[in-house]
Amino acid sequence: MDKFSIYELFSFIIPGYLSAKIIEYYLRFYGLRLPFPMEGNLNDNLLMLIVAIVLGVAIHVLTFEIINIPSLKRMKWWIYKPADEYIKSSKFGELPMIMPAVKECYEKDKNHHDSTSEIVISNDKKLDYYDWTFDFAYYYLEVNDKITQAKNFQSFYFLFRNLFVMSMVHFVILAILVLLSFAKPEYSILNWNTLYMVLLLVALTWLIVVVTTWLRSKMIDRVLWSYYVDRRTKEMDNK
Protein backbone atom coordinates (compact mmCIF):
# COMPACT_ATOMS: atom_id res chain seq x y z
CA MET A 1 0.00 0.00 0.00
CA ASP A 2 1.57 3.31 -1.04
CA LYS A 3 1.65 6.47 1.05
CA PHE A 4 -1.21 8.08 -0.82
CA SER A 5 -3.52 5.17 -0.03
CA ILE A 6 -2.57 5.32 3.65
CA TYR A 7 -3.22 9.06 3.85
CA GLU A 8 -6.56 8.67 2.11
CA LEU A 9 -7.56 5.78 4.37
CA PHE A 10 -6.72 7.84 7.45
CA SER A 11 -9.12 10.55 6.25
CA PHE A 12 -11.91 7.98 6.71
CA ILE A 13 -10.65 5.93 9.67
CA ILE A 14 -9.83 8.77 12.08
CA PRO A 15 -13.21 10.59 11.86
CA GLY A 16 -15.01 7.24 11.90
CA TYR A 17 -13.16 6.01 14.97
CA LEU A 18 -13.72 9.30 16.83
CA SER A 19 -17.42 9.16 15.93
CA ALA A 20 -17.71 5.66 17.36
CA LYS A 21 -16.02 6.76 20.60
CA ILE A 22 -18.33 9.79 20.88
CA ILE A 23 -21.40 7.57 20.37
CA GLU A 24 -20.08 5.20 23.02
CA TYR A 25 -19.53 8.11 25.44
CA TYR A 26 -23.11 9.37 25.19
CA LEU A 27 -24.65 5.90 25.35
CA ARG A 28 -23.07 5.46 28.78
CA PHE A 29 -25.29 8.24 30.12
CA TYR A 30 -28.29 5.99 29.48
CA GLY A 31 -26.75 2.72 30.59
CA LEU A 32 -26.30 1.52 27.01
CA ARG A 33 -23.31 0.32 25.07
CA LEU A 34 -22.35 -0.38 21.49
CA PRO A 35 -22.94 -3.95 20.24
CA PHE A 36 -19.21 -4.27 19.51
CA PRO A 37 -16.17 -3.71 21.75
CA MET A 38 -14.36 -0.36 21.56
CA GLU A 39 -11.47 -1.34 23.81
CA GLY A 40 -7.98 -1.95 22.53
CA ASN A 41 -6.63 -0.42 19.32
CA LEU A 42 -7.54 -0.58 15.65
CA ASN A 43 -4.74 -3.00 14.84
CA ASP A 44 -6.06 -5.59 17.30
CA ASN A 45 -9.75 -5.15 16.62
CA LEU A 46 -10.78 -5.85 13.02
CA LEU A 47 -14.46 -5.16 13.74
CA MET A 48 -13.62 -1.77 15.21
CA LEU A 49 -11.58 -0.97 12.11
CA ILE A 50 -14.48 -1.90 9.82
CA VAL A 51 -16.91 0.21 11.88
CA ALA A 52 -14.50 3.16 11.78
CA ILE A 53 -14.20 2.91 7.98
CA VAL A 54 -17.99 2.64 7.51
CA LEU A 55 -18.67 5.64 9.75
CA GLY A 56 -15.81 7.58 8.13
CA VAL A 57 -17.13 6.98 4.62
CA ALA A 58 -20.64 7.94 5.78
CA ILE A 59 -19.26 11.22 7.14
CA HIS A 60 -17.36 11.80 3.89
CA VAL A 61 -20.55 11.33 1.86
CA LEU A 62 -22.44 13.60 4.27
CA THR A 63 -19.78 16.26 3.75
CA PHE A 64 -20.44 16.38 0.00
CA GLU A 65 -24.19 16.57 0.65
CA ILE A 66 -23.76 19.46 3.10
CA ILE A 67 -21.61 21.60 0.81
CA ASN A 68 -24.30 21.32 -1.89
CA ILE A 69 -27.10 22.66 0.32
CA PRO A 70 -27.76 26.30 -0.75
CA SER A 71 -28.92 27.36 2.73
CA LEU A 72 -25.55 26.29 4.16
CA LYS A 73 -23.50 28.48 1.84
CA ARG A 74 -21.58 30.05 4.74
CA MET A 75 -20.54 26.64 6.05
CA LYS A 76 -19.46 25.68 2.53
CA TRP A 77 -17.15 28.70 2.37
CA TRP A 78 -15.52 27.63 5.62
CA ILE A 79 -14.45 24.27 4.24
CA TYR A 80 -14.92 24.39 0.45
CA LYS A 81 -14.26 27.88 -0.85
CA PRO A 82 -14.30 27.95 -4.69
CA ALA A 83 -10.91 27.65 -6.35
CA ASP A 84 -11.26 31.03 -8.06
CA GLU A 85 -11.50 32.78 -4.68
CA TYR A 86 -8.15 31.32 -3.66
CA ILE A 87 -6.54 31.99 -7.03
CA LYS A 88 -7.55 35.66 -7.03
CA SER A 89 -6.36 36.14 -3.45
CA SER A 90 -3.19 38.15 -2.92
CA LYS A 91 -2.08 35.54 -0.37
CA PHE A 92 -1.16 33.24 -3.24
CA GLY A 93 1.83 35.35 -4.23
CA GLU A 94 2.88 34.36 -7.75
CA LEU A 95 -0.05 32.06 -8.52
CA PRO A 96 -2.27 34.80 -10.01
CA MET A 97 0.67 35.75 -12.26
CA ILE A 98 0.88 32.34 -13.91
CA MET A 99 -2.87 31.94 -14.41
CA PRO A 100 -2.87 33.53 -17.90
CA ALA A 101 -0.26 30.94 -18.94
CA VAL A 102 -2.22 28.16 -17.21
CA LYS A 103 -5.36 29.27 -19.03
CA GLU A 104 -3.46 29.22 -22.31
CA CYS A 105 -2.26 25.66 -21.67
CA TYR A 106 -5.77 24.65 -20.70
CA GLU A 107 -7.25 26.07 -23.90
CA LYS A 108 -4.63 24.26 -25.98
CA ASP A 109 -5.37 20.96 -24.26
CA LYS A 110 -9.12 21.49 -24.60
CA ASN A 111 -8.64 22.67 -28.20
CA HIS A 112 -10.98 25.62 -27.78
CA HIS A 113 -11.00 29.23 -26.65
CA ASP A 114 -13.56 30.74 -24.30
CA SER A 115 -13.28 34.43 -23.51
CA THR A 116 -16.07 34.38 -20.92
CA SER A 117 -15.32 34.38 -17.19
CA GLU A 118 -18.11 31.95 -16.32
CA ILE A 119 -19.28 28.63 -17.70
CA VAL A 120 -22.98 27.92 -17.35
CA ILE A 121 -23.66 24.43 -16.02
CA SER A 122 -27.39 24.84 -15.42
CA ASN A 123 -29.93 27.64 -15.06
CA ASP A 124 -29.01 28.21 -11.40
CA LYS A 125 -25.37 27.15 -11.32
CA LYS A 126 -22.32 28.77 -12.89
CA LEU A 127 -18.66 27.87 -12.63
CA ASP A 128 -15.92 30.48 -12.72
CA TYR A 129 -13.36 29.94 -15.48
CA TYR A 130 -10.61 29.43 -12.89
CA ASP A 131 -12.67 26.72 -11.22
CA TRP A 132 -13.08 25.01 -14.56
CA THR A 133 -9.36 25.31 -15.27
CA PHE A 134 -8.48 23.93 -11.84
CA ASP A 135 -10.72 20.89 -12.35
CA PHE A 136 -9.15 20.21 -15.74
CA ALA A 137 -5.62 20.58 -14.34
CA TYR A 138 -6.46 18.17 -11.52
CA TYR A 139 -7.71 15.43 -13.84
CA TYR A 140 -4.87 16.07 -16.29
CA LEU A 141 -2.34 15.37 -13.55
CA GLU A 142 -4.31 12.37 -12.33
CA VAL A 143 -4.48 10.77 -15.78
CA ASN A 144 -0.77 11.37 -16.29
CA ASP A 145 0.07 10.00 -12.82
CA LYS A 146 1.68 13.24 -11.65
CA ILE A 147 -0.67 14.23 -8.85
CA THR A 148 0.83 12.38 -5.87
CA GLN A 149 1.96 15.47 -3.95
CA ALA A 150 -1.27 17.36 -4.57
CA LYS A 151 -3.29 14.32 -3.53
CA ASN A 152 -1.38 14.08 -0.27
CA PHE A 153 -2.55 17.58 0.57
CA GLN A 154 -6.04 16.62 -0.62
CA SER A 155 -6.14 13.59 1.67
CA PHE A 156 -5.23 15.70 4.70
CA TYR A 157 -7.77 18.27 3.52
CA PHE A 158 -10.48 15.60 3.38
CA LEU A 159 -9.47 14.45 6.86
CA PHE A 160 -9.97 17.88 8.40
CA ARG A 161 -13.08 18.58 6.33
CA ASN A 162 -14.60 15.34 7.60
CA LEU A 163 -13.59 16.26 11.15
CA PHE A 164 -15.38 19.60 10.72
CA VAL A 165 -18.60 17.90 9.62
CA MET A 166 -18.24 15.43 12.48
CA SER A 167 -17.98 18.34 14.94
CA MET A 168 -21.10 19.94 13.42
CA VAL A 169 -23.02 16.69 13.89
CA HIS A 170 -21.68 16.57 17.44
CA PHE A 171 -23.09 20.04 18.09
CA VAL A 172 -26.50 18.86 16.87
CA ILE A 173 -26.34 15.78 19.11
CA LEU A 174 -25.38 17.93 22.09
CA ALA A 175 -28.26 20.30 21.44
CA ILE A 176 -30.74 17.40 21.30
CA LEU A 177 -29.38 15.88 24.51
CA VAL A 178 -29.51 19.24 26.31
CA LEU A 179 -33.16 19.64 25.33
CA LEU A 180 -33.78 16.09 26.51
CA SER A 181 -32.13 16.99 29.82
CA PHE A 182 -34.74 19.69 30.42
CA ALA A 183 -37.61 17.40 29.42
CA LYS A 184 -36.36 14.42 31.43
CA PRO A 185 -33.98 15.44 34.26
CA GLU A 186 -33.13 11.79 34.98
CA TYR A 187 -31.36 11.74 31.59
CA SER A 188 -29.61 15.06 32.14
CA ILE A 189 -26.10 15.59 30.79
CA LEU A 190 -25.93 19.13 32.21
CA ASN A 191 -22.74 19.18 34.24
CA TRP A 192 -19.32 20.78 34.24
CA ASN A 193 -17.88 18.05 32.06
CA THR A 194 -20.42 18.85 29.35
CA LEU A 195 -19.59 22.55 29.58
CA TYR A 196 -15.89 21.84 29.24
CA MET A 197 -16.65 19.59 26.27
CA VAL A 198 -18.64 22.34 24.53
CA LEU A 199 -15.86 24.89 25.03
CA LEU A 200 -13.26 22.43 23.80
CA LEU A 201 -15.41 21.53 20.80
CA VAL A 202 -15.82 25.19 19.84
CA ALA A 203 -12.06 25.77 20.04
CA LEU A 204 -11.26 22.61 18.07
CA THR A 205 -13.86 23.42 15.41
CA TRP A 206 -12.34 26.86 14.88
CA LEU A 207 -8.87 25.32 14.60
CA ILE A 208 -10.18 22.70 12.17
CA VAL A 209 -11.64 25.43 9.93
CA VAL A 210 -8.31 27.28 9.86
CA VAL A 211 -6.36 24.13 8.98
CA THR A 212 -8.97 23.00 6.43
CA THR A 213 -8.88 26.27 4.49
CA TRP A 214 -5.06 26.26 4.52
CA LEU A 215 -4.86 22.67 3.25
CA ARG A 216 -7.33 23.40 0.44
CA SER A 217 -5.31 26.45 -0.59
CA LYS A 218 -2.11 24.38 -0.65
CA MET A 219 -3.81 21.68 -2.69
CA ILE A 220 -5.04 24.22 -5.26
CA ASP A 221 -1.62 25.84 -5.38
CA ARG A 222 0.13 22.50 -5.87
CA VAL A 223 -2.28 21.34 -8.60
CA LEU A 224 -2.00 24.50 -10.70
CA TRP A 225 1.78 24.84 -10.32
CA SER A 226 2.29 21.16 -11.15
CA TYR A 227 0.10 21.47 -14.24
CA TYR A 228 1.86 24.67 -15.32
CA VAL A 229 5.38 23.25 -14.91
CA ASP A 230 4.48 19.97 -16.62
CA ARG A 231 2.94 21.68 -19.64
CA ARG A 232 5.77 24.20 -19.99
CA THR A 233 8.36 21.42 -19.71
CA LYS A 234 6.63 19.46 -22.46
CA GLU A 235 6.45 22.53 -24.69
CA MET A 236 10.19 23.16 -24.23
CA ASP A 237 11.00 19.52 -24.96
CA ASN A 238 8.99 19.67 -28.20
CA LYS A 239 10.85 22.71 -29.49
Side-chain angles (χ1 to χ4, degrees):
M1 182 179 291
D2 57 27
K3 291 183 178 180
F4 160 69
S5 298
I6 293 175
Y7 293 151
E8 187 175 40
L9 197 58
F10 279 170
S11 70
F12 300 139
I13 291 178
I14 294 176
Y17 176 75
L18 292 176
S19 298
K21 296 298 287 186
I22 290 172
I23 293 172
E24 181 187 42
Y25 173 80
Y26 285 118
L27 286 178
R28 289 176 180 173
F29 280 98
Y30 308 105
L32 302 173
R33 58 180 300 173
L34 292 172
F36 46 86
M38 287 298 294
E39 292 76 17
N41 56 62
L42 292 175
N43 292 330
D44 300 330
N45 195 328
L46 179 60
L47 180 58
M48 188 195 305
L49 177 62
I50 294 174
V51 170
I53 293 176
V54 170
L55 289 176
V57 173
I59 292 172
H60 192 67
V61 173
L62 179 62
T63 302
F64 281 99
E65 294 298 326
I66 287 177
I67 62 179
N68 288 323
I69 299 177
S71 59
L72 298 178
K73 183 177 180 180
R74 176 63 62 181
M75 185 181 296
K76 175 180 178 178
W77 275 61
W78 288 346
I79 60 173
Y80 192 69
K81 187 183 295 185
D84 71 288
E85 294 297 328
Y86 285 107
I87 294 170
K88 297 172 183 176
S89 172
S90 59
K91 295 180 181 180
F92 263 93
E94 297 180 357
L95 185 56
M97 298 174 59
I98 69 167
M99 287 312 297
V102 171
K103 181 180 177 181
E104 179 183 345
C105 293
Y106 161 71
E107 290 174 347
K108 288 181 180 178
D109 289 333
K110 290 288 290 183
N111 194 28
H112 79 274
H113 174 73
D114 192 336
S115 59
T116 63
S117 61
E118 290 183 334
I119 297 175
V120 178
I121 299 177
S122 62
N123 292 333
D124 59 347
K125 186 176 182 180
K126 295 181 180 180
L127 191 68
D128 188 276
Y129 202 95
Y130 282 155
D131 286 307
W132 195 262
T133 304
F134 167 76
D135 288 344
F136 181 85
Y138 179 93
Y139 290 112
Y140 171 91
L141 294 173
E142 187 172 53
V143 168
N144 289 278
D145 196 25
K146 297 181 178 180
I147 200 171
T148 301
Q149 294 300 319
K151 271 208 168 184
N152 288 340
F153 277 107
Q154 184 188 51
S155 296
F156 281 111
Y157 163 68
F158 281 152
L159 168 60
F160 280 87
R161 196 175 78 175
N162 291 341
L163 288 175
F164 171 81
V165 171
M166 188 190 75
S167 68
M168 292 295 101
V169 174
H170 193 177
F171 276 122
V172 173
I173 293 174
L174 273 174
I176 294 174
L177 294 180
V178 167
L179 293 176
L180 182 62
S181 298
F182 288 111
K184 295 185 177 182
E186 64 271 22
Y187 295 139
S188 176
I189 65 167
L190 299 178
N191 51 51
W192 287 109
N193 288 335
T194 301
L195 177 60
Y196 294 148
M197 179 182 294
V198 171
L199 294 177
L200 179 62
L201 186 59
V202 170
L204 287 176
T205 302
W206 174 81
L207 181 60
I208 288 171
V209 170
V210 172
V211 175
T212 302
T213 54
W214 182 83
L215 286 171
R216 177 160 170 79
S217 70
K218 293 298 293 184
M219 180 193 70
I220 293 172
D221 180 85
R222 191 61 60 91
V223 167
L224 292 173
W225 269 105
S226 297
Y227 174 69
Y228 169 75
V229 171
D230 180 76
R231 293 295 290 110
R232 284 307 188 197
T233 301
K234 286 184 176 179
E235 289 182 357
M236 293 177 64
D237 291 341
N238 292 332
K239 289 183 179 180

